[in-house]
Amino acid sequence: MAADTYDGPILEIENLSISFFTRLREIPAVMDFSCTVMPGEAMGLVGESGCGKSTVALGVMQDLGVNGRIVSGSIKFKGRDLNEMTLDELRDIRGREIAMIYQEPMASLNPAMKIGKQLAEVPMIHEGVSKEEAMARALEVVTDVKLPDPKRMLDSFPHQLSGGQQQRIVIAMALMSKPSLLILDEPTTALDVTVEAAVVDLVKELGEKYGTSMLFISHNLGLVLETCDRLCVMYSGEAVETGSIKDVFDKMQHPYTQALFRSIPLPGADKNSRPLKAIPGNFPLPHERPPGCNFGPRCDYFEEGRCNKGEIPMVEVPHGDRHGTRCLKWEEIDWDAPLVVDQTHEKKEPGDVVLKMEDLKKYYEVNANALFGGGDAKVVKANETLSFEARESETLAIVGESGCGKSTFAKVLMGLETATEGKILLYNQDIQDTPIQKRQTDTVSSVQMVFQNPFDTLNPSMTVGRQIIRALEIFGEGANDAEREQKMLSLLDLVKLPRAFAERMPRQLSGGQKQRVGIARAFAGGAKIVVADEPVSALDVSVQAAVTDLLMEIQRENKTTLLFISHDLSIVRYLSDRVMVMYLGHVVELGTTDQVFAPPYHPYTEALLSAVPIADTSVEKQHIVLEGDIPSAMNPPPGCPFQTRCRWKSDVPGGLCEKEVPPVKKLSNGHQIKCHLADDILERMEPVIKIAAE
Amino acid sequence: MEQLTWTGTLGPVLNPLIMAAAAVFALGVVAQFLLSLVPSGNVRVGSMLAQNKGPADYAGMAVKYSFGVILLAIIAFMVGGILLPGPEAKGIIGAMSARLLPVWVGMIVIFAASIMYKRKLGLYGKLFDSPIGMVGFALVLFWVLTALFADMIVTHDPLSQIAAMKNKVPGTPMPADTEGYGWYLLGGDNLARDVFSRMIAGSTIVMQIAPLATLFAFMVGITLGLPAGYYGGALDTFLSFLANLILAFPVILLFYLLVTPEIVETGLPSYMAAVLFLFPIVFLVVLFNSRYYVQPAKQRLFVGGTILIGGYLYLSMISQPGTPLHFFPDGLDLFNIPGGILIVFVSVVFVNSPTVFRIVRGLALDIQTRDYVAAAQTRGEGPWYIMLWEILPNARGPLIVDFCLRIGYTTILLGTLGFFGLGLPPESPDWGSTINDGRKLLSIYPHPAIAPALALMSLVLGLNLLADGLREESLKD
Amino acid sequence: MGLFILRRFGVMLLTALCLTFVVFFLTNLYPNLEKLAKTQGNFRMTDAEVTSYLEKNGYLQPMVVKYGEWLGVVPSFRHTNEDGSVQGRCISPGVSPEDAPRFCGVLQGDWGFSTVFKDDVGAIVSTRLSLTGKLMFWVLMLMVPAALIVGVLAGMKEGSKLDRTLSTFSIISTATPEYVSGVILITVFASSVTGLKWFKGTATSAAENATFENFFLPVLTIALYGMGYIARMTRASMTEVMTAQYIRTARLKGVAFSNIVMKHALRNALIAPFTVIMLQFPWLLNGVVIVETLFNYKGFGWTLVQAAGNNDIELLLACSVVAVFVVLVTQLISDIGYVFLNPRIRIS
């Protein structure tokens, strides 16, 4: 075959423009995009949601749906223009030469077809091999993606697998015909951090083994740093900067890239002395892009009459490895100028204890087999002996992956559920057994919550103002409608939204703005304790910093106690005073931020720290990959909850880990760890993250 | 006076044209259908490949243009009907079109206004972006306006009989000595009544009962479905069992058991009405109370107002002379509903509510998992506030769509009742009864049954298309 | 699974009891009994005569007792006439009261006696039901495959011309109830004045000898109304599946379009319509009643109308038992079938 002797670039995209056509207008999704992927190279495509990175991938696959069309440019795969291929030729290439892996593993597997059949289909179509041979190949690849019991895997349906296993199957499917190019569209976004780390590891390893080129699409700079050789930063449909990882990370030449790096919490950032710098303004909608540079209105270096005039071409940066930037002023900007910090804050000393939990337990009874009735009711131990206290104006971070019981804990605190056992003391008042309906108004208004999903947090059919006023009414704030109206407007001021937003419907707001309204609503009754359940994890990177800042500013003013639930250790390190790490309903580690982020660690904390990708080339991480998945809370392992994945298990004599739940071990200064490991072993632990000396 | 032709003076010109266009249209549709079954090979959507026009495209063009010709010809007949002098020149179609003039004017005004302001009218305005929705809306609007202007449109009294006109074909002139309009436009039925006037008068009856009955069914379904979905548990089990019980009843059996003069005699429909009509008041009281309990002044105003006005309407509605529930002094009684209509109304509500209940319950189950519901819970809102102000408004899309479909279904049910001669008096001009009358002589004189049948079909079709259009547009956000 | 079916049977039984009691209650209201007495005796009966007729036949006992008798859990009613002879429900003519059984309700297999047809209810219902069974069989044979094909073809490529044509067809067919389509079909195909005279406008003769000519129109009439609904459901389900991520996966794996439809989409797309088809049975029952009346086909639906129109209590009860049974069994089948079609539920 001719293709086998080809040695030019695998993928060559030149001046690609893709538009979607609606009845009203043409919406350009990608404009003038060029990039090249060489054999064996991994190319990262980074940008915020809506920047067109997934559209590029679908353009390569020539699968843009009914409304999408490639308006100009060419996509050459091994020298052949994909735009000019017939459907049959394309079908031949899809799956065999180019394979794709998607964000939602569950959705991308056919629920009614056995996994073996789905895998075997690929070589049967493309290579015409027999069913037996295809199955044998499937078995081989499933073994390659390190799934336990590959034979059984092939014979099961997708829903019988966990999310991580499903994603491995999707990867296996993509590798069935040993493609030359693998496109990964946010392949790990739906997975937990520790599972993500293992999958990323696998992708890297298999990429090398099969010699596949990769196009890796992600919003996470840290992940791209770990997986790719080169990257391309996209903003609002355009590539703004492209180059090797080293060039772009360390010698960036575009204001957007710079702003992006300044807005993510890297090690060393601190909420008081080195706060993040949020990118002002909002991401432009595709049909409301500004003239000239798309980033212009949000750019610190913007120059009227120059940046907003005419098209801005991509220019080559000299001395780089194919390093390009789409900025007119790149030569004038002093890229090494230190970050001017707007304001620093004094670290506030935490005040009195406002909230105290003592041995809180929450068990649920669930019917294992709801549809057919019967079956034994199982007890889910969502929270197991939770004890901690939180002080005034303190930020306590609660860290853990899915199923660790952090949401249940929030529900019990809020009074949506009552505790099974134990005590919750709010200003020395027992509230564990009082459901929210029976709580006093001021108790309710002093404990409030900020929710995770900005698209779900506001009632879509009520104006923003009405929703805040309703909260004021319920909390008994203001004597009449006029007073409440005033109060509502001042709350909008507090969260830095224009007063005109009071009349808007939630669908007219962006994600970050909605989250601000959610914060305003939570503070309507002068909340003293705010539970923030992953408040920024669904937001784009550039918006995250702004919302986080806002939360902390209000906290500083109101002396609020912030319970910050998150799985993202970077942001936790940045803003929290103390950290509580949870795993399967247990608190495995509790201490100040410094204590938790430095050894001795609980083995789970250690793995978690290692799993979080960090977008900094100077950081060296210890490489710890956890085996397997998080056990189900319905069926927890005996003994220590973490023993199934723990790499230190062999250091505990007598198989104690499998028999007993470890006791809480008190270390220095209130630092506590729930682990059987002996003190001397804990002492020997090395730091996971090291910042190379500059 | 002479027999009218269908198409009047325009006929000789336009008829051949319509025939030809119809033939092309039919052929085109068949060709298109067959061609689309053949795999289209390498035609790609979404790429820059130049597409040559294939046979399928030509068939499509033929269909489009021939349909346009047919449409134009029909419009020509209608406009000609209004402009040409004298029914002989107008023809039957033209003459009917002339009688329907108020409807045409109303439709044109409403359409023009709606299209002009469609960007400001929310979901209703978006309807005018969807061709399907517009066609549906036009059909429904046609019948609504016809029902409104029925008195101006009818040519004869729908109940009066003129012996000479028995079973006469459409366009038959009246005997020389009678007054009034000179023709039975759509012929006479087997009791010598005017089919056209009966069809028009029938629309009024349908339009009086169907939407209102559907609205009541929604009130009942929502008031019960929300708590069933929100609370779950034993309440849900019990209500769902009841709903399934009613749904397991074959509708016709239920009608045969409920809608008979004997049952009316026992007063059962009055009791059922007393229960069913209570729901809207309960609904509104809970609705206002849950929202305004934090503001006592407004609470008193809204809840008190609802109880007073609603209660008065309710009492005068259920109090009927001649039934066991006749307690309200006649002087205060605002209106009385004839027993026949009441029982039809009640049983249609009764049959429809369980389905609405199921839909609302499902929606409530879905929406209550949203964060804004949790947010309401964490600020200590009562369950009814959450159900009525947080969940219900966000379920409105599917409910509006179902409302349209359900009016259509109610219309079909009313027709079924009429078809079996249940409920309404036998001489009533409603469509179902008229079809029932006409079916006995169907193979000899089809016209008395065909006219109301087509009327009913077009209304239901309109409602279905409207619902489709609404669904499509509401999903686009 | 066994427990599930057992529980469903329990619910079914409860539902059937509730429903028959409602029917029993409504048919035994006094005005209905009065009408019954007058149709059985004569229309000029005085009130006293009516009462004595009802008394003699046991209609004036408490409702629950009568219901128990019908069920066969309460000893049946006997009335001693003035001449000393004993008459009662269980005493068939020619059998002495002593030999007659004390219980003769549904549980004993005795469905009672039809006052309209003057025959045993069990016999009437079974013959009529077999006639309707014949009708239903052909309806299903026509409706289900046609509806599924239309739905799948339409949903395969959303927004295509084929989709629009077929969707228009199915929307028109759902908007046309049986009594409308029946009238139109008869006018077009069977009317002696205007029609094509291809078929017959009545199906009375089809009871003995069903031919294409006398049976096609009633079958088509019922099938058309149900077809549109099932087709629309299938289309909706199919379009949803076709936009699913796993279909995109299959497409980008290089699977040909025909194989995507046949191997990947079809099974997933048919789960929802299966339930719909099963739940369609109660509506088909409606259609059967209308069509049998319209075409004068003397099946179950026609019998139901006769029984209801004349307040033939025991026949009506038997009819409602049959109807309820059909509805509940189809619900059960739809639940079980859903589980078997959908692997996600089967295993977990």
Short mmCIF file of all heavy atoms in Angstrom, two decimals, chain B residues 9-48:
data_model
loop_
_atom_site.label_atom_id
_atom_site.label_comp_id
_atom_site.label_asym_id
_atom_site.label_seq_id
_atom_site.Cartn_x
_atom_site.Cartn_y
_atom_site.Cartn_z
N THR B 9 -67.88 29.53 -12.06
CA THR B 9 -67.40 29.95 -13.39
C THR B 9 -65.91 29.77 -13.55
O THR B 9 -65.40 29.68 -14.65
CB THR B 9 -67.73 31.43 -13.64
OG1 THR B 9 -67.40 32.16 -12.46
CG2 THR B 9 -69.19 31.60 -13.99
N LEU B 10 -65.19 29.73 -12.44
CA LEU B 10 -63.74 29.54 -12.56
C LEU B 10 -63.40 28.10 -12.91
O LEU B 10 -62.30 27.82 -13.38
CB LEU B 10 -63.05 29.92 -11.26
CG LEU B 10 -63.04 31.40 -10.90
CD1 LEU B 10 -62.44 31.60 -9.52
CD2 LEU B 10 -62.23 32.17 -11.92
N GLY B 11 -64.34 27.22 -12.64
CA GLY B 11 -64.09 25.80 -12.77
C GLY B 11 -63.49 25.38 -14.09
O GLY B 11 -62.40 24.79 -14.13
N PRO B 12 -64.13 25.68 -15.20
CA PRO B 12 -63.63 25.21 -16.51
C PRO B 12 -62.18 25.62 -16.75
O PRO B 12 -61.44 24.92 -17.43
CB PRO B 12 -64.56 25.89 -17.49
CG PRO B 12 -65.80 26.18 -16.72
CD PRO B 12 -65.37 26.41 -15.30
N VAL B 13 -61.78 26.77 -16.18
CA VAL B 13 -60.41 27.21 -16.39
C VAL B 13 -59.45 26.46 -15.45
O VAL B 13 -58.45 25.90 -15.86
CB VAL B 13 -60.27 28.72 -16.11
CG1 VAL B 13 -58.90 29.21 -16.56
CG2 VAL B 13 -61.39 29.49 -16.78
N LEU B 14 -59.83 26.46 -14.17
CA LEU B 14 -58.88 25.99 -13.18
C LEU B 14 -58.92 24.48 -12.96
O LEU B 14 -57.91 23.89 -12.59
CB LEU B 14 -59.13 26.71 -11.85
CG LEU B 14 -58.80 28.20 -11.85
CD1 LEU B 14 -59.16 28.84 -10.53
CD2 LEU B 14 -57.32 28.41 -12.13
N ASN B 15 -60.07 23.86 -13.18
CA ASN B 15 -60.16 22.43 -12.90
C ASN B 15 -59.12 21.59 -13.63
O ASN B 15 -58.43 20.78 -13.01
CB ASN B 15 -61.56 21.90 -13.21
CG ASN B 15 -62.52 22.24 -12.08
OD1 ASN B 15 -62.09 22.71 -11.03
ND2 ASN B 15 -63.80 22.05 -12.31
N PRO B 16 -58.97 21.77 -14.94
CA PRO B 16 -57.96 20.96 -15.63
C PRO B 16 -56.56 21.21 -15.08
O PRO B 16 -55.75 20.29 -14.92
CB PRO B 16 -58.04 21.45 -17.09
CG PRO B 16 -59.33 22.17 -17.20
CD PRO B 16 -59.68 22.67 -15.84
N LEU B 17 -56.33 22.47 -14.72
CA LEU B 17 -55.03 22.83 -14.17
C LEU B 17 -54.77 22.06 -12.88
O LEU B 17 -53.71 21.47 -12.67
CB LEU B 17 -55.01 24.34 -13.91
CG LEU B 17 -53.66 24.94 -13.54
CD1 LEU B 17 -52.71 24.87 -14.72
CD2 LEU B 17 -53.84 26.38 -13.09
N ILE B 18 -55.79 22.07 -12.00
CA ILE B 18 -55.64 21.37 -10.72
C ILE B 18 -55.41 19.88 -10.96
O ILE B 18 -54.53 19.27 -10.35
CB ILE B 18 -56.88 21.58 -9.84
CG1 ILE B 18 -56.88 22.99 -9.30
CG2 ILE B 18 -56.94 20.55 -8.73
CD1 ILE B 18 -57.75 23.19 -8.11
N MET B 19 -56.21 19.33 -11.89
CA MET B 19 -56.06 17.90 -12.17
C MET B 19 -54.63 17.58 -12.60
O MET B 19 -54.00 16.64 -12.10
CB MET B 19 -57.02 17.47 -13.30
CG MET B 19 -58.47 17.48 -12.87
SD MET B 19 -58.71 16.46 -11.42
CE MET B 19 -60.23 15.70 -11.82
N ALA B 20 -54.13 18.39 -13.52
CA ALA B 20 -52.79 18.15 -14.04
C ALA B 20 -51.75 18.27 -12.92
O ALA B 20 -50.89 17.40 -12.75
CB ALA B 20 -52.48 19.15 -15.16
N ALA B 21 -51.90 19.34 -12.15
CA ALA B 21 -50.93 19.56 -11.08
C ALA B 21 -50.99 18.41 -10.07
O ALA B 21 -49.96 17.95 -9.57
CB ALA B 21 -51.21 20.89 -10.40
N ALA B 22 -52.22 17.96 -9.76
CA ALA B 22 -52.37 16.88 -8.79
C ALA B 22 -51.68 15.62 -9.29
O ALA B 22 -51.02 14.91 -8.53
CB ALA B 22 -53.84 16.62 -8.51
N ALA B 23 -51.83 15.36 -10.59
CA ALA B 23 -51.20 14.17 -11.16
C ALA B 23 -49.68 14.26 -11.03
O ALA B 23 -49.01 13.32 -10.59
CB ALA B 23 -51.59 14.01 -12.62
N VAL B 24 -49.15 15.43 -11.38
CA VAL B 24 -47.71 15.62 -11.27
C VAL B 24 -47.26 15.45 -9.83
O VAL B 24 -46.27 14.78 -9.51
CB VAL B 24 -47.31 17.02 -11.79
CG1 VAL B 24 -45.83 17.29 -11.49
CG2 VAL B 24 -47.58 17.12 -13.26
N PHE B 25 -48.05 16.04 -8.92
CA PHE B 25 -47.73 15.99 -7.50
C PHE B 25 -47.66 14.53 -7.02
O PHE B 25 -46.69 14.11 -6.39
CB PHE B 25 -48.79 16.75 -6.71
CG PHE B 25 -48.55 16.77 -5.24
CD1 PHE B 25 -47.55 17.57 -4.69
CD2 PHE B 25 -49.33 16.02 -4.38
CE1 PHE B 25 -47.33 17.60 -3.34
CE2 PHE B 25 -49.10 16.03 -3.01
CZ PHE B 25 -48.10 16.83 -2.49
N ALA B 26 -48.69 13.78 -7.37
CA ALA B 26 -48.74 12.38 -6.92
C ALA B 26 -47.55 11.60 -7.47
O ALA B 26 -46.86 10.89 -6.72
CB ALA B 26 -50.05 11.74 -7.36
N LEU B 27 -47.30 11.78 -8.75
CA LEU B 27 -46.17 11.07 -9.37
C LEU B 27 -44.87 11.46 -8.69
O LEU B 27 -44.01 10.62 -8.38
CB LEU B 27 -46.09 11.41 -10.86
CG LEU B 27 -47.06 10.62 -11.75
CD1 LEU B 27 -46.96 11.10 -13.18
CD2 LEU B 27 -46.72 9.12 -11.67
N GLY B 28 -44.73 12.77 -8.45
CA GLY B 28 -43.51 13.28 -7.84
C GLY B 28 -43.28 12.67 -6.47
O GLY B 28 -42.17 12.25 -6.13
N VAL B 29 -44.36 12.61 -5.67
CA VAL B 29 -44.22 12.08 -4.32
C VAL B 29 -43.78 10.62 -4.38
O VAL B 29 -42.85 10.20 -3.68
CB VAL B 29 -45.54 12.23 -3.54
CG1 VAL B 29 -45.48 11.43 -2.24
CG2 VAL B 29 -45.81 13.68 -3.24
N VAL B 30 -44.45 9.86 -5.27
CA VAL B 30 -44.11 8.44 -5.39
C VAL B 30 -42.65 8.29 -5.82
O VAL B 30 -41.87 7.52 -5.24
CB VAL B 30 -45.06 7.74 -6.38
CG1 VAL B 30 -44.57 6.33 -6.66
CG2 VAL B 30 -46.46 7.70 -5.82
N ALA B 31 -42.27 9.10 -6.83
CA ALA B 31 -40.91 9.00 -7.34
C ALA B 31 -39.90 9.33 -6.25
O ALA B 31 -38.90 8.62 -6.05
CB ALA B 31 -40.73 9.96 -8.51
N GLN B 32 -40.21 10.40 -5.49
CA GLN B 32 -39.31 10.82 -4.43
C GLN B 32 -39.14 9.72 -3.40
O GLN B 32 -38.04 9.44 -2.94
CB GLN B 32 -39.93 12.03 -3.75
CG GLN B 32 -38.98 13.16 -3.65
CD GLN B 32 -39.63 14.31 -2.94
OE1 GLN B 32 -40.77 14.25 -2.51
NE2 GLN B 32 -38.89 15.36 -2.84
N PHE B 33 -40.28 9.12 -3.06
CA PHE B 33 -40.26 8.07 -2.05
C PHE B 33 -39.38 6.91 -2.51
O PHE B 33 -38.51 6.45 -1.79
CB PHE B 33 -41.69 7.61 -1.78
CG PHE B 33 -41.76 6.52 -0.74
CD1 PHE B 33 -41.62 6.83 0.60
CD2 PHE B 33 -41.98 5.21 -1.11
CE1 PHE B 33 -41.69 5.85 1.55
CE2 PHE B 33 -42.05 4.22 -0.16
CZ PHE B 33 -41.90 4.54 1.18
N LEU B 34 -39.61 6.49 -3.75
CA LEU B 34 -38.85 5.35 -4.26
C LEU B 34 -37.37 5.69 -4.35
O LEU B 34 -36.51 4.89 -3.98
CB LEU B 34 -39.39 4.94 -5.64
CG LEU B 34 -40.80 4.36 -5.60
CD1 LEU B 34 -41.28 4.03 -7.00
CD2 LEU B 34 -40.85 3.12 -4.70
N LEU B 35 -37.08 6.92 -4.82
CA LEU B 35 -35.68 7.29 -4.99
C LEU B 35 -34.97 7.37 -3.65
O LEU B 35 -33.79 7.03 -3.54
CB LEU B 35 -35.59 8.63 -5.71
CG LEU B 35 -35.88 8.55 -7.21
CD1 LEU B 35 -36.01 9.94 -7.79
CD2 LEU B 35 -34.80 7.78 -7.93
N SER B 36 -35.70 7.80 -2.63
CA SER B 36 -35.02 7.96 -1.34
C SER B 36 -34.71 6.61 -0.72
O SER B 36 -33.90 6.52 0.20
CB SER B 36 -35.88 8.78 -0.39
OG SER B 36 -37.07 8.09 -0.14
N LEU B 37 -35.37 5.56 -1.19
CA LEU B 37 -35.06 4.23 -0.67
C LEU B 37 -33.76 3.69 -1.24
O LEU B 37 -33.10 2.86 -0.65
CB LEU B 37 -36.19 3.25 -0.99
CG LEU B 37 -37.50 3.50 -0.24
CD1 LEU B 37 -38.54 2.49 -0.67
CD2 LEU B 37 -37.27 3.43 1.26
N VAL B 38 -33.43 4.21 -2.43
CA VAL B 38 -32.17 3.79 -3.05
C VAL B 38 -31.03 4.52 -2.34
O VAL B 38 -31.08 5.72 -2.17
CB VAL B 38 -32.18 4.16 -4.55
CG1 VAL B 38 -30.89 3.72 -5.20
CG2 VAL B 38 -33.37 3.56 -5.23
N PRO B 39 -30.02 3.81 -1.90
CA PRO B 39 -28.93 4.49 -1.21
C PRO B 39 -28.30 5.55 -2.10
O PRO B 39 -28.13 5.34 -3.31
CB PRO B 39 -27.94 3.37 -0.89
CG PRO B 39 -28.53 2.11 -1.41
CD PRO B 39 -29.86 2.37 -1.97
N SER B 40 -27.97 6.67 -1.50
CA SER B 40 -27.60 7.81 -2.33
C SER B 40 -26.13 7.83 -2.71
O SER B 40 -25.63 8.83 -3.18
CB SER B 40 -27.96 9.09 -1.59
OG SER B 40 -27.41 9.02 -0.29
N GLY B 41 -25.44 6.73 -2.51
CA GLY B 41 -24.06 6.64 -2.99
C GLY B 41 -23.15 7.62 -2.31
O GLY B 41 -23.08 7.66 -1.08
N ASN B 42 -22.50 8.45 -3.07
CA ASN B 42 -21.45 9.27 -2.49
C ASN B 42 -21.83 10.72 -2.29
O ASN B 42 -20.98 11.57 -2.21
CB ASN B 42 -20.20 9.17 -3.36
CG ASN B 42 -19.49 7.87 -3.07
OD1 ASN B 42 -19.46 7.42 -1.94
ND2 ASN B 42 -18.96 7.24 -4.10
N VAL B 43 -23.12 10.98 -2.22
CA VAL B 43 -23.51 12.36 -1.97
C VAL B 43 -23.22 12.68 -0.52
O VAL B 43 -23.66 11.98 0.38
CB VAL B 43 -25.01 12.56 -2.26
CG1 VAL B 43 -25.38 14.00 -2.02
CG2 VAL B 43 -25.31 12.15 -3.67
N ARG B 44 -22.45 13.73 -0.28
CA ARG B 44 -22.08 14.03 1.11
C ARG B 44 -22.64 15.38 1.52
O ARG B 44 -22.58 16.34 0.79
CB ARG B 44 -20.57 14.05 1.25
CG ARG B 44 -20.00 12.67 1.40
CD ARG B 44 -18.51 12.74 1.33
NE ARG B 44 -17.99 13.68 2.31
CZ ARG B 44 -16.74 14.10 2.29
NH1 ARG B 44 -15.93 13.71 1.36
NH2 ARG B 44 -16.32 14.92 3.21
N VAL B 45 -23.14 15.41 2.71
CA VAL B 45 -23.58 16.67 3.27
C VAL B 45 -22.43 17.20 4.09
O VAL B 45 -21.74 16.45 4.77
CB VAL B 45 -24.81 16.45 4.17
CG1 VAL B 45 -25.36 17.79 4.62
CG2 VAL B 45 -25.85 15.66 3.43
N GLY B 46 -22.22 18.49 4.07
CA GLY B 46 -21.24 19.07 4.97
C GLY B 46 -19.85 19.14 4.40
O GLY B 46 -18.91 19.50 5.08
N SER B 47 -19.68 18.81 3.13
CA SER B 47 -18.35 18.97 2.56
C SER B 47 -18.47 19.88 1.35
O SER B 47 -19.53 20.35 1.02
CB SER B 47 -17.79 17.62 2.14
OG SER B 47 -18.36 17.27 0.90
N MET B 48 -17.37 20.10 0.71
CA MET B 48 -17.40 21.04 -0.40
C MET B 48 -17.63 20.35 -1.74
O MET B 48 -17.52 20.98 -2.77
CB MET B 48 -16.08 21.82 -0.43
CG MET B 48 -15.91 22.66 0.81
SD MET B 48 -14.51 23.73 0.72
CE MET B 48 -13.19 22.56 0.59
#
